[in-house]
Amino acid sequence: MATMATMATTAQGEIPVIILREGTRETKGKTAQRNNITAVKLVGNIMKSSLGPRGMDKMLVDTLGDVTITNDGATILKEMDIQHPAAKMMVEVAKSVDNEVGDGTTSAVILTAALIEKAEDLLNKDVHPMLIVEGYDLASEKALELLTGIGIKVDPTDKDVLASIAKTSMESKLVSEDSPLLAKISAEAILQVAEKSDETYKVDMDNIKVEKKAGGSISDTRLINGIVIDKEIVHGGMPKYVRKANIALLNAALEIEKTEISAEIRISDPEQMKSFLDEENRMMKAMVDKISETGANVVICQKGIDDVVQHYLAKAGILAVRRVKESDMVKLAKATKGRVVTNIEDLTKEDLGTADLVEERKVETDKWIFIEGCRDPKAMTILIRGGSQRVVDEAERSMHDALMVAKDVIERPVIVAGGGAPEAYTAWKLREWANTLSGREQLAVFAFADALETIPVTLATNAGMDPIDTLIEIRSKQSQGNKWAGVDVFGMKIADIYRKGILEPLVVKELIIKSATEVAIMILRIDDVIAASRPKEGSRSREPPME
Ligand code: ADP
Ligand code: MG
C-alpha cells in the first residue's frame, strides 16, 4: 500500500513531508471500503446461522482451551476475539444492544451486515456513499416511526405478558425446553423488585441476584424470596437454622479494635493479667448482649467476628455469618427491610430485618446461607441449577436476556410480535413510502427495506424453509391485513405470530434498527484507514491487522 498521505512533497517538489510514523499503513478509497465491507459481511455470515429458535449454537474455544457453548450473539462475538477494526465495530453494536436492552444482539449484527451488503450493491452501481448514508438515515427514521405505529400497549404488571416476552427471548437457547419455568421466574422477579414512581416502573437489575451451581437439572432452578449468600455459619455451636429471623445487618467488626499506636502494657502479676483479659472478654460480651437485647437472632456481618464473640453469640443462640460482600449487604437490606448499621451502639430493634427462615444449606459441595421468606422483598435471588457447568453458564446468559426483556416491557410497556413479522411489515411500508421520494434517495430506502427482510429470511432459512416463498407469503398475508404474519419456525409455515404468543419488547426492535443503522453509516463513511505499524514479532499485540 502506498503511503501517499504520509509523504507529500512540498510545492517545489523537493523536501518530503512526513506526517505519520514510519511503518504506518494506509488503505484508501475503494480498497479501504471494500476491506471493511468484506469483514462486516463475514461476521454477519457467521452469526446468521444462530438466529432464532432453529438457529445453531456455537462452540467457542479460547486460547486456554476453555469451551463456551452459546447462542447468545454478544457472547459469541466477545469470545471470537475479532481483530479487524470494522468487524470490531460489530462487536460494539452487539455489546451496546446487550447492555441497553439485553436481547436482539444477533439480529443487530445481521442487520448491520445486511445494510452493508445492500450498500455494496449500490456502490457497485456507482452510487456515492454519502447518498446511501443519507438514504439510510431517512429510512431508519421512517422505520422507527412505522414500528411505533404497530406497537401494542400492554399493562406493565401483566405477568402473563412479561412471561411470554421472557419466553420468546429463550426460545433460541439451550434452555428452551425449560423456558416456561424460567420465564415465569423472570417475570415474577422483575415484578417483585420493580419500583413504581408516578405511573411508570423502574427496575434496578442489581436487585436481582443470580447465583448458579452445577448439579441437579434446570427444572430445579428456583426464585428465592430473599437472598442467598455463598458463606457458612461462623461457629459450630450456632443453630443451623432460625425461623422467624430478626436479622442484624452490621457493617462493623465484632472484635476489639487494635489501637493504632503500639503501646506496651507491663503486667507484673497473674491477677492483673486476668483482669486485663476479663476486661476484653467483658467488652466482647457486652457487644453480644447489646445485639441480643434488640431481639436479633441472626447476625450478618460485613466485617470479621472475633472467636470470643462467636462463642458468646453461639451461647445466646444467635446464628452469625461474617465477611459478607457489601453488595450482598445492600441486597439483604432491601430484601429483609433492615438497615445496615455501622456502629453496634446504634443498633436498635427498628434496624433489624426479618425473614421467615435463615438456614445454612448444602448446595452440592458448598454450604450456602439462605435468607428466605422475606415479606415483599425488594431484592431477590434466582438460583440456577443444571446438569453441568456449561449448562448453568448458558442458563445464566439466557436468564439475563429473559430478565432484561421483562424489564424492558415493565419500563416501557409496548410490544410487537416476533418471527420477522415487524421487520417484514416495516420493509413493505418503507417501500411504499419510498415511492414518494426522489429517485436517488429511493434506491437507498429500497436497500434498507431489503436489509430488514434479512431477519425473516434468515429465520426461515435456519428452519429449513424456502426464503423466497417465505417472503412472498408474508407479503401477501400482510397486505391482506394481517400485519403479524411472520415465520412460524416450528410449524414451518407463515402464521399469525401474535396469536402464537411470540412477543417481544418494542424497544428491542427499535434499538436493533437504530444501532445497526448507526454502525452501517459509520462504516460507509470511512474511506481511509490508517493503521499504526504492528509491534515486532514476539511482543504481544492487540493491534488490528489491515486486511
Ligand atoms: P437475538 O440475539 O437477535 O435475540 P435470537 O437467536 O434470540 O437472536 O433470535 C431472535 C429472533 O427469533 C427474533 O426475531 C424472534 O422474533 C425470533 N423468534 C423467537 N422465537 C420464535 C418462534 N417461536 N417462532 C418464530 N420466531 C421466533
Ligand atoms: Mg434473543
Side-chain angles (χ1 to χ4, degrees):
M1 244 142 288
T3 50
M4 289 306 288
T6 60
M7 223 198 285
T9 42
T10 52
Q12 292 79 18
E14 283 157 11
I15 313 155
V17 180
I18 298 168
I19 57 164
L20 294 175
R21 192 201 292 259
E22 193 185 344
T24 302
R25 292 192 304 161
E26 186 184 23
T27 343
K28 279 177 79 76
K30 287 229 161 79
T31 324
Q33 219 164 40
R34 293 306 144 116
N35 276 344
N36 289 343
I37 288 173
T38 310
V40 168
K41 277 179 16 191
L42 275 173
V43 176
N45 278 335
I46 294 173
M47 300 300 289
K48 265 188 187 167
S49 68
S50 65
L51 183 76
R54 301 295 288 269
M56 309 293 275
D57 292 348
K58 307 265 175 219
M59 181 189 254
L60 300 140
V61 186
D62 70 10
T63 45
L64 296 172
D66 281 344
V67 177
T68 308
I69 298 173
T70 186
N71 177 282
D72 189 64
T75 312
I76 297 172
L77 286 168
K78 200 171 75 207
E79 297 285 330
M80 275 200 317
D81 197 12
I82 285 176
Q83 295 285 309
H84 190 282
K88 267 188 173 169
M89 289 164 71
M90 314 266 282
V91 185
E92 296 303 315
V93 189
K95 261 196 216 154
S96 73
V97 171
D98 195 39
N99 287 342
E100 231 174 286
V101 295
D103 194 22
T105 49
T106 317
S107 307
V109 171
I110 293 176
L111 183 59
T112 311
L115 286 170
I116 292 292
E117 193 175 334
K118 302 294 169 197
E120 187 184 26
D121 294 343
L122 294 181
L123 290 172
N124 286 342
K125 289 182 196 143
D126 276 334
V127 179
H128 193 275
M130 284 322 279
L131 269 174
I132 306 175
V133 165
E134 277 159 27
Y136 274 9
D137 228 354
L138 278 176
S140 129
E141 236 169 76
K142 185 70 187 172
L144 291 173
E145 186 190 312
L146 289 165
L147 265 181
T148 316
I150 54 167
I152 300 167
K153 284 210 174 64
V154 291
D155 169 8
T157 56
D158 186 335
K159 195 167 117 190
D160 292 337
V161 170
L162 296 186
S164 300
I165 298 274
K167 186 167 177 298
T168 303
S169 80
M170 288 190 278
E171 290 272 296
S172 49
K173 313 285 191 221
L174 198 73
V175 298
S176 59
E177 218 168 281
D178 297 286
S179 62
L181 169 75
L182 301 184
K184 189 170 147 265
I185 289 178
S186 11
E188 277 173 8
I190 290 288
L191 273 171
Q192 180 56 45
V193 304
E195 313 259 356
K196 193 174 182 185
S197 71
D198 299 330
E199 282 315 294
T200 57
Y201 289 84
K202 269 257 163 270
V203 174
D204 181 353
M205 292 295 275
D206 284 345
N207 292 332
I208 300 177
K209 183 174 182 188
V210 180
E211 280 284 353
K212 58 183 174 180
K213 189 86 204 166
S217 73
I218 296 180
S219 57
D220 298 325
T221 298
R222 279 212 305 135
L223 175 63
I224 288 152
N225 254 333
I227 301 297
V228 175
I229 42 182
D230 179 3
K231 291 278 169 204
E232 297 179 18
I233 293 174
V234 286
H235 191 281
M238 289 176 177
K240 289 284 169 242
Y241 66 89
V242 172
R243 285 192 199 285
K244 298 241 175 314
N246 293 318
I247 308 162
L249 301 169
L250 302 176
N251 178 15
L254 295 177
E255 291 161 341
I256 299 287
E257 261 179 66
K258 311 274 178 296
T259 47
E260 292 282 314
I261 344 150
S262 54
E264 199 176 326
I265 305 171
R266 282 176 192 273
I267 295 173
S268 44
D269 73 275
E271 269 309 303
Q272 242 177 334
M273 177 69 187
K274 185 163 178 302
S275 75
F276 179 74
L277 288 177
D278 281 352
E279 177 57 17
E280 268 202 357
N281 251 335
R282 201 192 55 73
M283 284 165 72
M284 288 198 267
K285 176 141 192 318
M287 282 181 192
V288 176
D289 288 344
K290 173 77 200 158
I291 293 168
S292 194
E293 269 163 31
T294 61
N297 49 14
V298 172
V299 168
I300 297 186
C301 187
Q302 197 178 326
K303 304 272 172 65
I305 304 180
D306 191 282
D307 289 354
V308 178
V309 178
Q310 289 178 22
H311 165 79
Y312 284 123
L313 284 168
K315 262 178 94 175
I318 295 174
L319 182 161
V321 188
R322 69 174 162 183
R323 298 198 205 290
V324 173
K325 276 190 297 195
E326 187 179 355
S327 58
D328 281 342
M329 296 300 285
V330 174
K331 291 188 187 85
L332 278 164
K334 288 190 173 153
T336 65
K337 303 247 158 54
R339 199 172 68 88
V340 179
V341 172
T342 43
N343 185 350
I344 300 167
E345 291 305 312
D346 298 342
L347 185 72
T348 65
K349 196 171 176 345
E350 282 65 49
D351 297 322
L352 303 183
T354 54
D356 281 348
L357 178 66
V358 175
E359 185 178 25
E360 181 184 87
R361 261 178 238 157
K362 236 179 151 179
V363 183
E364 297 303 307
T365 49
D366 292 350
K367 285 180 188 154
W368 285 359
I369 306 281
F370 286 68
I371 295 110
E372 60 184 7
C374 299
R375 235 143 298 141
D376 190 26
K378 285 296 164 201
M380 303 183 96
T381 307
I382 295 172
L383 181 53
I384 295 178
R385 304 302 309 272
S388 72
Q389 193 55 44
R390 287 194 203 18
V391 171
V392 288
D393 286 348
E394 180 68 351
E396 185 190 24
R397 286 188 285 269
S398 311
M399 187 56 90
H400 161 81
D401 288 17
L403 288 168
M404 284 294 284
V405 288
K407 167 183 147 85
D408 291 340
V409 171
I410 203 169
E411 290 185 344
R412 182 155 165 238
V414 188
I415 61 166
V416 291
E423 289 87 354
Y425 173 87
T426 315
W428 167 41
K429 291 290 170 186
L430 267 182
R431 287 200 188 91
E432 278 185 5
W433 173 73
N435 288 324
T436 65
L437 300 174
S438 75
R440 292 243 159 203
E441 282 164 337
Q442 245 180 34
L443 284 177
V445 176
F446 281 138
F448 194 97
D450 290 347
L452 277 173
E453 280 176 344
T454 316
I455 301 292
V457 163
T458 309
L459 283 172
T461 317
N462 287 347
M465 295 160 69
D466 183 79
I468 311 268
D469 290 352
T470 301
L471 278 186
I472 293 174
E473 210 181 325
I474 295 184
R475 259 180 229 175
S476 102
K477 287 214 162 127
Q478 290 197 340
S479 54
Q480 282 161 29
N482 182 359
K483 57 178 180 263
W484 301 124
V487 186
D488 170 9
V489 297
F490 294 115
M492 292 189 60
K493 58 181 186 331
I494 304 309
D496 184 327
I497 302 298
Y498 186 77
R499 275 222 206 114
K500 294 226 160 259
I502 307 198
L503 309 176
E504 294 187 81
L506 177 67
V507 273
V508 172
K509 296 288 169 199
E510 283 179 349
L511 198 65
I512 290 171
I513 291 185
K514 270 189 220 161
S515 52
T517 312
E518 228 168 66
V519 174
I521 286 181
M522 216 188 271
I523 292 171
L524 286 172
R525 292 172 72 109
I526 298 170
D527 79 333
D528 203 345
V529 178
I530 303 164
S533 65
R534 305 181 66 179
K536 298 269 173 325
E537 276 299 302
S539 64
R540 270 168 58 87
S541 149
R542 313 269 304 171
E543 281 304 316
M546 292 282 293
E547 282 122 324

